[in-house]
Amino acid sequence: MRKYRIKGGIPLSGAVDISGAKNAVVAILPAALLADEPCRVENIPNIKDVAVSLKLLESLGAKVTHIDDNTVEIDPTTVGTCEVNDDLARNMRASYYFIGALLGKHGRARVPMPGGCWFGERPIDLHLKGFRALGAEVTPLENDCIEVCSNQLMGNSIYLDTVSVGATVNIMLAAVRAMGMTIIENAAKEPHIVDLANFLNTMGADIRGAGTDVIKIRGTQYLHSATYSIIPDQIEAGTYMAMAVATKGDVLVRNVIPKHLESITAKLIEMGAIVEEMDDAVRVRCSDTLQHCNIKTMPHPGFPTDMQPQIAVLLSTAQGVSHITEGIWENRYRYVDELRLMGADIEVRGNTATITGVPQLTAADVMAVDLRAGAAMVIAGLAAEGTTEIGNIRYIERGYENIVNKLTRLGAEISLIEVPDEA
Ligand code: UD1
């Protein structure tokens, strides 16, 4: 088993460059299938979910050319099948974006139900409701696969009962070449929704209102080539901000859009950190004992659920009692058992966690139970007394580019180790 070994207690200092956003790139790579010409995508993070997305594109017949470490060119004109590879797709939640993209371009997609992190039930009923509203027929198949097809998608008004990032993206992908106007109401407003709309509009699509709760998409018959650079990752940035605070360090987090970080910044300041915003960077410092606070996760612009485990680590050593209410996922506290092994005092009832601050976390052997839970364990390891080992790091590699190198450059003592499985 591969693990991270971290010697805790070292304040991080220096600068870190944030990579392109995972949740934007996993939508934008399948979106390239919609074009009638090759597209170039820049600022792509080197993470596992990108590797899987690129393999999925190739398995459909698209030509993928690596221009440099963070740039690829995708030629979708060579696509020869609309059947998405089972093993690859089940590795990654966002493989469901291939449904919208293939349906939008070719009128047909056969896709296995997606994999990814487990935070309880993760239905895709709203995605399917959207496809049906555009005139597609949705057929469940054996082996937990679905087929979605249509001779001609027609624009329609679609109200999402729940604000869903995935459904908003998938409906945008399917509607972009449909006949007429599609209106998505109660749409998600996350930065990656805006990024996807900007990419598609660069290809000649007509999408307005992305970033608000009403998105209007007028169908377009031809989408031309485009060169597009992915936005910085809001959650990776938030994670390094939390690391700076947890280690009582002083870190310049570069290549960010400070506006995207406002809900995270506000909470760090409430806890006693100093956050200085610049044009495309934030400097995060902390020297005092952290103060407790209450957090509720919500759709953007609320506090992101994908920062919930990381912030829980900070609250574990804050003075007083804090409450976290998880407003998106039914089961996003599986990391709590691991954090308790490091001395945290956390009680979970339903969707609320009550955290009583302890003076210090202590090192332990822990597991990454999912991507952001894994990031939380890294933060805890950096802050704890002693040497922590974290297993299951494949989850962390799904979403954090070069985390060992980035942290080493900030002065952390972290290494990737191999231990025999039976150990
Ligand atoms: C995306 C993010 C994920 C983040 C989540 C919430 C990507 C690739 N992943 O996930 O990191 O944690 O947003 O910010 O961008 N729901 C339904 N029916 C549906 C779809 C969703 O009931 O058809 C519910 C979900 O169970 C959940 C809520 O809607 O309670 C929000 O889910 P959604 O925004 O769709 O999350 P994802 O797109 O899967």
Side-chain angles (χ1 to χ4, degrees), residues 237-261:
T239 302
Y240 281 96
M241 291 167 79
M243 288 166 172
V245 175
T247 61
K248 303 269 182 288
D250 182 350
V251 174
L252 185 65
V253 184
R254 297 190 297 214
N255 184 34
V256 299
I257 299 174
K259 178 120 194 82
H260 294 170
L261 303 172

Side-chain angles (χ1 to χ4, degrees), residues 22-24 26 93-94 96-97 119 121-128 162-167 188 190 192 298-299 304-306 327-330 332 372:
K22 169 183 113 39
N23 285 350
V26 295
R93 178 81 189 153
Y96 54 38
Y97 291 150
F119 324 128
E121 276 303 306
R122 296 185 76 177
I124 61 164
D125 55 305
L126 294 172
H127 306 226
L128 303 182
T162 305
V163 179
S164 160
V165 172
E190 268 66 4
H192 37 287
M298 284 190 281
T305 174
D306 288 353
I328 309 287
W329 299 114
E330 64 174 27
R332 202 164 193 172
R372 305 304 170 185

